[in-house]
Structure formats: structure tokens, C-alpha cells
Amino acid sequence: MKLILLSGGSGKRLWPLSNDARSKQFLKVLENEDGQLKSMVQRVWMQLKNVNLTESTIIATCKTQVDMIQNQLGQKVDLVIEPSRRDTFPAIALAASFLYSEKKLPLDEVVTILPVDPFVQETFFEQVTELENILNQTEAEIALIGVTPTYPSSKYGYIIPSTNPTHSLNYTRVQRFIEKPTELLAESLIEQNALWNCGVFAFKLSFILSILEERGFPLDYNELRTQYDKLPNTSFDYEVVEKTENIIALPYDAYWKDLGTWRTLTEEMSTTQIGKGIITEDCEETHLINELDIPIVVLGVSNVIVAASPDGILVADKDKSPRIKEIVGQSHNRPMYEERRWGWYKVLDHLKTEEDYEVLTKRIGVKAGKNLSYQYHQQRSEIWTVIKGEGLFVHNDQLRVVRPGDVLQIPVGEKHGLKAVTDLEIIEIQTGAQLIEEDIVRVFMTWDEVEEHCYELNN
Amino acid sequence: MKLILLSGGSGKRLWPLSNDARSKQFLKVLENEDGQLKSMVQRVWMQLKNVNLTESTIIATCKTQVDMIQNQLGQKVDLVIEPSRRDTFPAIALAASFLYSEKKLPLDEVVTILPVDPFVQETFFEQVTELENILNQTEAEIALIGVTPTYPSSKYGYIIPSTNPTHSLNYTRVQRFIEKPTELLAESLIEQNALWNCGVFAFKLSFILSILEERGFPLDYNELRTQYDKLPNTSFDYEVVEKTENIIALPYDAYWKDLGTWRTLTEEMSTTQIGKGIITEDCEETHLINELDIPIVVLGVSNVIVAASPDGILVADKDKSPRIKEIVGQSHNRPMYEERRWGWYKVLDHLKTEEDYEVLTKRIGVKAGKNLSYQYHQQRSEIWTVIKGEGLFVHNDQLRVVRPGDVLQIPVGEKHGLKAVTDLEIIEIQTGAQLIEEDIVRVFMTWDEVEEHCYELNN
């Protein structure tokens, strides 16, 4: 069996901690057994490891999440990178073609789709493993996991079992699906043994490939990538599951939760406060997550989430907090903090002058052994002041060692790169007519090639 | 008549907007007729101007407030600067000796003491003017203004009138004072025509001087300054008013308010929001004051104050907000934003390394025509990057013109100064074993002397 983990979503419902570069699954707000903070994706990955499934897993994601995934799960994770961010049907189709034409998996291989962030007990993943057997034994086209409902939620999709008696293998045949029923209807569905649809689907590789073939799409991964934008931008539920007759569901009767809102997320936090500040003792059901360096005092206010990052600060009633999605929905501001493969950066200050230039000040951290690629800018000059650690700086093919106190001036168009020998930090001051993150022209060399190139030129 | 405005207090009850350098009276949260924001002290100064009293006014304050007062009221304001921050009795005594020995006022001059931040209607200052007449006509030792109470407050001091009928001049003789009575007692005091004590006292200069003389203190301003710490550190009410027999009170029967808490201050704001952010429409009685560059979203939370400055962020129930004073009472953190005579600075970042040094990054603004004094540091090196405007930079007696993009490196012990030709901004990166604001050794020259000195040396 192969697992495809779907890692998507911009997670605006958890603004300001989540943004386009950092979806909710990457927020480190959950606690490990050892007391360290971990993210939802790290928690799921650990659970998959415990049932020996990580080796069989690939993650379908988009370009902006690659650095974050590799930082949190390591470099060895198998990734399928979508050319653009689209819905679950195209993402699953592309990943399936990757397994078929790149990984050369047989057509009868069982493929299981899993969201990247279900908050569940480990037995959930035992049921995931079980899906393969069930699918083989029943010859159903799709096997799902259905969560036993704990209350008549109007926010989930329901799996309605057929009236036939339950099979000895403890699965049920699926009659149909009902999306987000009223609470009243949900109550009567639960009486009929309906289950929550938690987005886990298993099928044979041939099943999804034949759907692609029928519609005239190529099965070859590279060809399908070029046609990615032509795939219908709809969910796998809508495009495939709801049009399939022969479906079974395996019930899962334990803890399951979608940590998609501040309410549900904070319910799973083992502490009421992360970061600098104070919550006075008369606050009830109040949580504070502060990623800023300045302290936050929450005084006598109950049932609120206060969340702060360099992108913004939210003070919200927990039950009303999902509305934050609409409020920040339109804005596409520059992210003020980003984690990258090589380290991180934080925007400290942004001056927009009335004249024809702007100035952006950042603090940048490069991890020991990592490097900023050799590059130049067409619109901006940069001034770097080393404030911590030791590094190698290359400037117009000249290499030098740099240390705290060194000031490196890089005019527009001049090539530069930086490798951290020990953990390195700099203050960067960018100046230019228009400062956009994308104004980077990369010189395509690995760092070793850069060093060799400089050595040859100068000796 | 001479007025002494008392400008003291650290205003921790309005944290994080007020701090040791910026007391509550300087917060620009009130609105002018022209829609511009102004502070309490600016409002009072404007009202004094309207009754032609500013020329007769001196402000008694401490060193840390001088720059702020001159920035907000102009350079011409007459100041008496206390050698250290103490209670109202020493402050008034020192100011009185200043009027006597420096300003050479006659002994029968009427002196009126006024807090710097009463929130009142202009008729209040007409009553202040009237105090002089009343004092001369009644030969009382002290004349007060008493505010007609609007509710039985347990937070104010009450002036209890004597039972004698009120005089035709519309003043009452004072029988005694009661501080912070219970609400029940306050109700019965109000029935007896008691008034609120609003901290306005008028007396003849000879009255206070004789008190000083009796206790063996000098009347000469410079001599009293040197003995300032020996004056009892108590309030003028306690030390003088409560021990005086012959006191009268002039009633003021209109709007009066002490804007000392977030509750009372926000009641007088004409807008619910100052600064970047959003308050959703379902918030009631909620105010947002944001001095940060990042947006704050307040979603569905009523009756709270959200206030943010580089010093910290407060999210508080308005009625509980006075407790902030105790919470931040102990902390004496570096202010993150300060206004100065020459401009302002903002701390952007502070790195404390595990090694033996720290790094502080600031954005500094110098107003056109102003300068940073010629100085050097014993513990820190500085790197300045000019990001806006044009200036004159002096470095070890060498003058040069500087413009955006220029990087100025100043090692430990090297003399440097900067004058803004146009409004100038720099990013400053300080590095040193211990970064304290006080590590400044000034070279005592005016800027003109600095320029002349450099010219002579180099020509």
C-alpha cells in the first residue's frame, strides 16, 4: 500500500499564525511526550512512523510548502510538487500518475489518500492499514474510513450506510453521502449509523488511472504536469467518490478532530500560553500564542484567543474566530516571518518614502552548513551587517570569511552569496525602487562550485 | 497671578502606551477641533491660551519629561526641573522658591497650582482666574476649586463646606476634607453640598515661603535644589492643605474628569480606533489604540481596551484595566520607543547572544535642523545606515555630507555626531558587551562649535 498525504490549504482561519507560506499544519502548538512543541504534520508523521508507514508515504504539496515540510520532517520525504495550487482531485490525480509512471507501481497497488493534519489516536492508522485488506477482500472500488460521530455536527459530511447488515469484517457498504446536514437531520442520520467522512480514501491505482484515461488525460507524470491546469478544479469527493457505486466504509470509533479553528486547536493545547506575556488568573478559557518579542498582557478577558505574529495580532472571541478567514481573506501582504530550507528571516521594519524608493530591514538566520544561493538583484541594493556566527561571503567571485561587526555592501546587479560555517545571523537593509521578494536572479551553481569557481579565478 | 502646572507621574495605569519616559499626559489620543490628535497636556495648554494664562504659567517637571514637553508645547515654555522625581509638596516648594528668588515675584503674588491633565470645559479656567480675586477679598490662606459631584464616587477626595451660609461671591468656607469615602458616606456628603477636590490650590507666595522658612529650608531656588531630597516626600494636600484652617472653595459645576484609566480615557476619545487594524461591528464599547506597524484585528470581543506599543500589548477588560499598574509595576524594561528633543527612536530588534555581547537594532529619526550631540561610547560600536534625508556627519573631527545608502561605522571610543539637513532617518546597529542607554560621553560643544572645530583642524 502507498499513502498520499495531501498538504494544502492556506489556513487563513488561523491568521495571523498561518499565512500563504505557513499553513495551519505547520504551526508548532501541540506538545510532544518530551514537552517540546510540534506541529500537526509532525504529529501525524510520528504516528505514521509508529505503524511503519512513512516509507510508503509521499506528500502531495505545492512549491511554497516544500521548505517548511523539509524543515519539519527532514530532507528525505518523498514529495510530489503541484505546479499550481488547486483542489484535491487534480492533486490526487497528479500524485497517482507519479506513483504509476515514476515509481512504476503495479496497477493493483492500493493507494490511500490522507489529509496531512487529522488529530487522531494511533488506532486510526491501524484502521488505515486495514483498508488494504478490506479493499482486496471486498473488491469495492473505494474504501473509506468513517468516524463514529460524537454529536450531531452540521459542519461535516456524513457517510450513510446501506441497510444491509454489517459484514463480519466490520465494514459497511455505503449507500450515499450527505454534506453538512442540519443538526436535526444529523441526529436522525446518526440513529441510522451514519459516520463522519474524514477524507481518507483507498482505491487501486488502476481505478484512478482509468478515470484519467476515460477523460483523455495522459497517465505519464511529466505529461500530466504540463496539463495540470486543464484538470477540473474540484474536490475528489465531488469528482470521484460521489459518482462511484461500490464503496465501503471502515468505522473508526475513537478520538478524531479537525483542528481548523482557534476553538478546536486551543482545546488540544496542553498549555494556555506560548511565548512572552501574562494571562491573569481571572481569565477563563483564554489562550495566548505570542511569536513576537514584546510581551502581551491579557487581563480579565475570558473565552478569547490572542495570537500574535509579525504578520498581525488577533484578539477574538473563540466562537466567532472562524470569521477571521473572511476578514483577512482579501489581503495578500508580504509575510513578515518565513522559515526556509536554509534558515529563516523576520521583517523588522519597512519604510516607504515619498520619494521613489523604499527600505526594508530584516534579520536573517542561516543555519550552520547551509547557504543563501549565489544571486544578484535587478532592483535593489543590500547592506548586510553580520551580528552572529561565522560565514563565507562571496561577492563578485571573491570569497572571504565574515564575522560579527563586518559590513557587506552589495550594490544593484552585483553577485553575492553567503554560507554559514556556524549558525549565522545578519541584519539586512534592502533599498530600491520596488522591493519584491521575487527580484532574485540565481547563478546556477552549488556552493561547492561557487567556491571552486572563485578559487580558479583568483589563483 | 502665576500658575504652576504639575507634570509628574509615570502613568503605569495606561501601560503599554505610557512608560517612565512618556507619562499619560503626553499620549495623543484626544481629538482637536481640526481632527488632529492631541495629548492631554496639549489640550490644557490650548485652554490656558484661550484665557490668556500661558504667559503666566510655569511647568514643574522632572528631567525625563523635558524633551516631551518641549516637543508638544514648544521650546518657550517656562520649566522648573526637579533634581529627582518626588511627591507634590517638594515639587510645589521648589517651584515657589523659583518664582521668588529667580523670577523676583512679590510676596503677595497669588500662585495657583494645577495638575497638568484635568479634562474640563473652558469655564474651569475662568474659575481658576477668579481664584485670585476671591483670595484677595476673603484673605483666606488657600482657595480651592471644588467640583460639583455627579455621583457618589469612592475614588476622590471630598471638600466638606462649613455650615455657615454661602457668601454672595459664591464661595464656601471649607470645614474639612475626607479622602475616598465609602459610596454610602459619599452620598450623605453630597447631600451636605460636599465638593470633589480636583487638586487646584491658590495661595499667596508668602504663605508657602513661610512654611519653608519655619522648617528651616532656604528660600533661594538654587540652595533649595541642593537640599531637594531633604524635603518631606509627601503630597501638598497632606503636608499643607489638611493643616490649614482658613480655606475657601470656589465651586465648578460643569464637566470634570480624571483620564487616568483606560475606562475614563476611552470615554473621551472621539473615535474607537487609532492606528492599524479592524474592530468588527459586533464589538461593543471596545477601543483599539495601535502604535505598531502590524495590524490588529479585534473580533467579537466587547468592553475591552486593546493597546499596543513597542513596549508591549494589552488586552484588558476595561473595568479591570487599572490592575495593569500592579502587573507591570515591577518591570523596568528599556523603553522601545522614545520621543526626544531632536526626534525619536524605535527599537526594532534586540539579540542577546550566548557569547559576551549583545546587538540592538534601532530606527532613528532626526528632525531637520536638529542634531545628535557630539559623543562617544565606552562599551559599544555602532553602524549607521542612512535610509532617508540628508545630513552632516562628524566622525573624529572630520565632517562629511551623508545621504541614503551611506554606511557609517563607528568603533568603540570614536567621536561622532549627526545633524539633519532635511528630516533624516538611519538604521543603527549597536554591538557591545552591555548595551545601556547611559553609555554616552558627550563632547561639550554646540553643533556650530563642532563645525567650526572641524574646519579649523582640517584647513
Side-chain angles (χ1 to χ4, degrees):
Chain A
M1 183 174 72
K2 269 285 177 183
L3 249 72
I4 300 173
L5 245 59
L6 298 179
S7 182
S10 80
K12 288 224 159 117
R13 274 185 299 174
L14 297 181
W15 183 92
L17 298 199
S18 60
N19 59 32
D20 287 342
R22 185 167 63 151
S23 295
K24 66 175 186 187
Q25 60 263 35
F26 302 115
L27 300 180
K28 291 193 178 175
V29 294
L30 304 174
E31 209 165 278
N32 252 338
E33 293 77 52
D34 57 5
Q36 287 225 302
L37 292 175
K38 66 182 171 190
S39 68
M40 302 181 206
V41 73
Q42 285 177 314
R43 185 176 191 275
V44 164
W45 196 251
M46 181 60 69
Q47 291 178 317
L48 286 172
K49 192 166 266 171
N50 291 346
V51 292
N52 293 313
L53 277 176
T54 48
E55 295 290 315
S56 316
T57 300
I58 66 171
I59 301 181
T61 187
C62 56
K63 219 169 79 181
T64 53
Q65 296 190 354
V66 172
D67 282 2
M68 197 62 98
I69 289 175
Q70 291 182 337
N71 279 346
Q72 296 201 347
L73 304 184
Q75 304 290 322
K76 287 182 192 159
V77 179
D78 243 333
L79 299 178
V80 175
I81 300 163
E82 301 152 34
S84 58
R85 187 173 281 190
R86 309 196 79 213
D87 213 325
T88 52
F89 174 69
I92 291 170
L94 187 70
S97 77
F98 177 81
L99 293 178
Y100 171 69
S101 76
E102 298 290 308
K103 291 279 178 180
K104 309 290 183 198
L105 292 188
L107 287 171
D108 64 349
E109 181 82 28
V110 172
V111 176
T112 303
I113 310 298
L114 203 72
V116 80
D117 55 0
F119 191 85
V120 291
Q121 292 172 4
E122 220 155 277
T123 52
F124 184 85
F125 295 97
E126 289 163 13
Q127 288 296 73
V128 168
T129 315
E130 191 59 24
L131 283 176
E132 184 174 19
N133 297 332
I134 296 284
L135 201 69
N136 283 327
Q137 287 170 36
T138 60
E139 305 218 323
E141 288 185 299
I142 299 179
L144 305 169
I145 289 186
V147 176
T148 310
T150 50
Y151 68 100
S153 169
S154 62
K155 288 173 187 163
Y156 297 132
Y158 284 74
I159 299 168
I160 318 300
S162 73
T163 44
N164 298 343
T166 299
H167 193 277
S168 63
L169 280 166
N170 193 28
Y171 65 83
T172 57
R173 298 220 161 256
V174 175
Q175 189 194 92
R176 62 195 174 108
F177 297 89
I178 294 179
E179 265 303 296
K180 298 181 183 173
T182 62
E183 281 185 27
L184 208 68
L185 177 55
E187 268 179 42
S188 86
L189 294 178
I190 290 173
E191 278 168 24
Q192 300 163 47
N193 299 315
L195 301 167
W196 284 338
N197 182 356
C198 62
V200 175
F201 317 106
F203 45 78
K204 293 200 172 150
L205 190 52
S206 54
F207 171 73
I208 177 85
L209 293 180
S210 66
I211 290 173
L212 281 175
E213 214 164 22
E214 265 169 33
R215 298 177 178 215
F217 286 103
L219 303 188
D220 178 79
Y221 170 67
N222 290 310
E223 279 180 48
L224 189 60
R225 258 184 81 89
T226 62
Q227 297 187 31
Y228 193 66
D229 285 346
K230 291 185 188 154
L231 286 164
N233 193 22
T234 52
S235 72
F236 188 78
D237 288 84
Y238 174 84
E239 198 63 34
V240 178
V241 182
E242 289 181 14
K243 295 171 184 169
T244 301
E245 290 288 315
N246 190 2
I247 303 182
I248 57 162
L250 202 57
Y252 163 71
D253 188 15
Y255 207 73
W256 175 84
K257 211 159 173 181
D258 172 25
L259 306 189
T261 66
W262 284 115
R263 163 65 71 196
T264 52
L265 183 64
T266 53
E267 278 171 3
E268 297 308 328
M269 284 171 58
S270 58
T271 167
T272 56
Q273 181 178 341
I274 296 174
K276 268 193 197 174
I278 293 167
I279 303 175
T280 59
E281 71 300 323
D282 56 339
C283 299
E284 282 167 27
E285 294 286 320
T286 282
H287 280 78
L288 168 63
I289 306 178
N290 181 10
E291 297 190 344
L292 298 173
D293 272 338
I294 57 182
I296 297 181
V297 176
V298 187
L299 199 168
V301 188
S302 292
N303 202 37
V304 300
I305 169 72
V306 178
S309 85
D311 284 347
I313 299 160
L314 173 70
V315 177
D317 180 279
K318 279 187 186 171
D319 295 318
K320 295 177 182 163
S321 69
R323 277 172 48 205
I324 190 61
K325 190 179 174 178
E326 300 133 45
I327 294 170
V328 299
Q330 295 80 358
S331 70
H332 279 285
N333 288 327
R334 159 192 292 284
M336 301 296 276
Y337 175 81
E338 275 200 76
E339 277 180 45
R340 292 290 178 83
R341 195 190 65 260
W342 43 260
W344 51 268
Y345 75 80
K346 185 164 92 172
V347 173
L348 300 179
D349 190 63
H350 194 174
L351 165 69
K352 287 180 183 162
T353 66
E354 284 150 31
E355 287 136 80
D356 55 351
Y357 71 98
E358 41 181 327
V359 182
L360 189 77
T361 306
K362 287 180 178 182
R363 179 165 151 194
I364 297 176
V366 186
K367 292 184 282 191
K370 303 284 181 184
N371 67 279
L372 303 179
S373 65
Y374 201 28
Q375 59 185 236
Y376 64 90
H377 309 294
Q378 295 179 305
Q379 301 246 26
R380 66 177 185 249
S381 63
E382 294 184 347
I383 294 163
W384 295 356
T385 301
V386 181
I387 62 171
K388 189 181 165 187
E390 190 179 302
L392 280 171
F393 175 57
V394 54
H395 186 195
N396 290 337
D397 305 331
Q398 301 280 337
L399 260 184
R400 56 177 281 210
V401 173
V402 292
R403 296 197 176 83
D406 286 342
V407 179
L408 315 170
Q409 301 196 43
I410 306 153
V412 175
E414 296 196 1
K415 289 179 292 178
H416 55 284
L418 182 68
K419 178 172 181 165
V421 176
T422 60
D423 282 352
L424 187 77
E425 293 191 25
I426 63 174
I427 301 285
E428 174 182 273
I429 302 175
Q430 302 181 354
T431 306
Q434 212 199 352
L435 300 178
I436 49 168
E437 205 54 36
E438 292 70 30
D439 172 18
I440 292 178
V441 183
R442 290 205 168 77
V443 181
F444 284 100
M445 292 192 214
T446 64
W447 186 263
D448 285 346
E449 286 165 351
V450 169
E451 284 196 27
E452 202 173 319
H453 172 70
C454 293
Y455 185 78
E456 277 169 14
L457 271 179
N458 299 300
N459 283 285
Chain B
M1 184 175 70
K2 270 284 177 185
L3 250 71
I4 300 173
L5 244 58
L6 297 179
S7 183
S10 80
K12 288 223 160 118
R13 275 186 299 175
L14 297 181
W15 184 91
L17 297 200
S18 61
N19 58 33
D20 287 342
R22 185 167 64 151
S23 296
K24 66 176 186 188
Q25 59 263 36
F26 303 114
L27 300 180
K28 291 194 179 176
V29 293
L30 304 174
E31 208 164 281
N32 252 337
E33 294 76 54
D34 58 5
Q36 287 225 303
L37 292 175
K38 66 181 171 191
S39 68
M40 302 180 206
V41 72
Q42 285 176 315
R43 185 177 192 275
V44 165
W45 198 251
M46 181 60 67
Q47 290 178 319
L48 287 172
K49 192 165 267 173
N50 290 345
V51 291
N52 293 315
L53 278 176
T54 49
E55 295 291 314
S56 316
T57 300
I58 65 170
I59 301 181
T61 187
C62 54
K63 220 170 78 182
T64 52
Q65 294 189 355
V66 172
D67 282 2
M68 196 63 96
I69 289 175
Q70 291 182 337
N71 279 348
Q72 294 202 349
L73 304 182
Q75 303 291 322
K76 288 181 191 160
V77 180
D78 242 333
L79 298 179
V80 175
I81 299 162
E82 303 153 33
S84 59
R85 187 174 282 192
R86 309 197 78 214
D87 212 325
T88 53
F89 173 70
I92 291 169
L94 186 71
S97 77
F98 177 81
L99 293 178
Y100 171 68
S101 76
E102 298 290 307
K103 291 281 178 179
K104 312 288 184 199
L105 291 188
L107 287 169
D108 65 348
E109 180 81 29
V110 172
V111 177
T112 302
I113 310 298
L114 202 70
V116 81
D117 55 0
F119 190 85
V120 291
Q121 291 171 7
E122 220 155 277
T123 52
F124 183 85
F125 295 96
E126 289 162 13
Q127 288 295 75
V128 168
T129 316
E130 191 59 24
L131 284 175
E132 184 173 21
N133 297 333
I134 296 285
L135 202 68
N136 284 327
Q137 286 171 34
T138 60
E139 306 218 325
E141 290 185 298
I142 299 179
L144 305 169
I145 288 187
V147 176
T148 310
T150 49
Y151 68 101
S153 169
S154 62
K155 288 173 187 163
Y156 298 131
Y158 284 74
I159 301 167
I160 317 300
S162 72
T163 43
N164 298 342
T166 300
H167 192 276
S168 64
L169 280 167
N170 194 27
Y171 64 83
T172 58
R173 298 220 162 255
V174 176
Q175 190 194 90
R176 61 193 174 110
F177 297 89
I178 295 179
E179 267 301 295
K180 298 182 182 173
T182 61
E183 281 185 28
L184 207 68
L185 177 56
E187 269 179 42
S188 86
L189 294 177
I190 291 173
E191 277 169 25
Q192 300 163 47
N193 298 316
L195 300 168
W196 285 338
N197 182 356
C198 62
V200 176
F201 318 105
F203 44 77
K204 292 201 172 149
L205 190 51
S206 55
F207 171 74
I208 178 85
L209 292 180
S210 65
I211 290 172
L212 280 175
E213 215 163 22
E214 265 168 34
R215 299 178 177 213
F217 287 103
L219 302 188
D220 177 79
Y221 170 66
N222 289 310
E223 279 179 49
L224 190 60
R225 259 186 80 89
T226 62
Q227 296 186 32
Y228 193 67
D229 285 345
K230 292 185 187 151
L231 286 164
N233 193 23
T234 52
S235 72
F236 189 78
D237 288 85
Y238 175 84
E239 198 63 36
V240 178
V241 183
E242 289 181 15
K243 297 170 182 168
T244 303
E245 291 290 315
N246 190 1
I247 302 181
I248 56 161
L250 202 56
Y252 163 71
D253 188 16
Y255 208 73
W256 175 83
K257 209 159 174 183
D258 172 25
L259 305 190
T261 65
W262 283 116
R263 161 66 71 196
T264 52
L265 183 64
T266 52
E267 278 171 4
E268 296 309 328
M269 284 172 58
S270 58
T271 165
T272 55
Q273 180 179 341
I274 296 174
K276 266 193 198 175
I278 293 167
I279 303 175
T280 59
E281 72 299 325
D282 56 339
C283 297
E284 282 167 28
E285 292 286 321
T286 282
H287 280 77
L288 167 63
I289 306 178
N290 181 11
E291 295 189 346
L292 297 173
D293 272 339
I294 56 181
I296 297 181
V297 176
V298 187
L299 199 169
V301 188
S302 291
N303 201 37
V304 300
I305 170 69
V306 178
S309 85
D311 284 347
I313 299 162
L314 174 69
V315 177
D317 179 279
K318 279 186 185 171
D319 295 318
K320 296 177 181 164
S321 70
R323 278 172 49 207
I324 190 62
K325 191 179 174 177
E326 301 134 44
I327 294 170
V328 299
Q330 294 79 356
S331 71
H332 278 286
N333 288 326
R334 159 191 291 286
M336 301 296 277
Y337 174 81
E338 275 200 76
E339 277 180 46
R340 292 290 178 83
R341 195 192 68 259
W342 44 260
W344 52 268
Y345 75 79
K346 186 165 91 172
V347 174
L348 300 179
D349 190 64
H350 194 173
L351 165 70
K352 288 180 181 162
T353 65
E354 284 150 32
E355 287 136 78
D356 55 352
Y357 70 98
E358 40 181 328
V359 182
L360 190 76
T361 307
K362 286 180 176 180
R363 180 165 152 192
I364 297 176
V366 186
K367 290 185 283 192
K370 303 284 181 183
N371 67 278
L372 304 180
S373 65
Y374 201 28
Q375 59 185 235
Y376 64 91
H377 309 295
Q378 295 179 304
Q379 301 245 27
R380 65 176 185 250
S381 63
E382 294 184 347
I383 294 164
W384 294 357
T385 302
V386 181
I387 61 170
K388 189 182 164 184
E390 191 179 302
L392 280 171
F393 175 58
V394 55
H395 185 194
N396 290 336
D397 305 332
Q398 301 280 337
L399 260 182
R400 56 177 282 211
V401 173
V402 292
R403 296 195 177 84
D406 285 342
V407 179
L408 315 170
Q409 301 195 45
I410 306 153
V412 175
E414 297 197 0
K415 290 179 292 179
H416 56 283
L418 182 67
K419 179 172 181 163
V421 177
T422 61
D423 282 352
L424 187 76
E425 294 192 23
I426 63 173
I427 301 286
E428 174 181 275
I429 303 175
Q430 303 181 355
T431 306
Q434 212 199 352
L435 301 179
I436 50 170
E437 203 56 34
E438 292 70 30
D439 171 18
I440 293 178
V441 183
R442 288 208 168 74
V443 181
F444 283 101
M445 291 192 212
T446 65
W447 186 263
D448 286 345
E449 287 165 350
V450 170
E451 285 196 28
E452 203 171 317
H453 173 69
C454 292
Y455 185 78
E456 277 168 15
L457 271 181
N458 299 301
N459 285 284

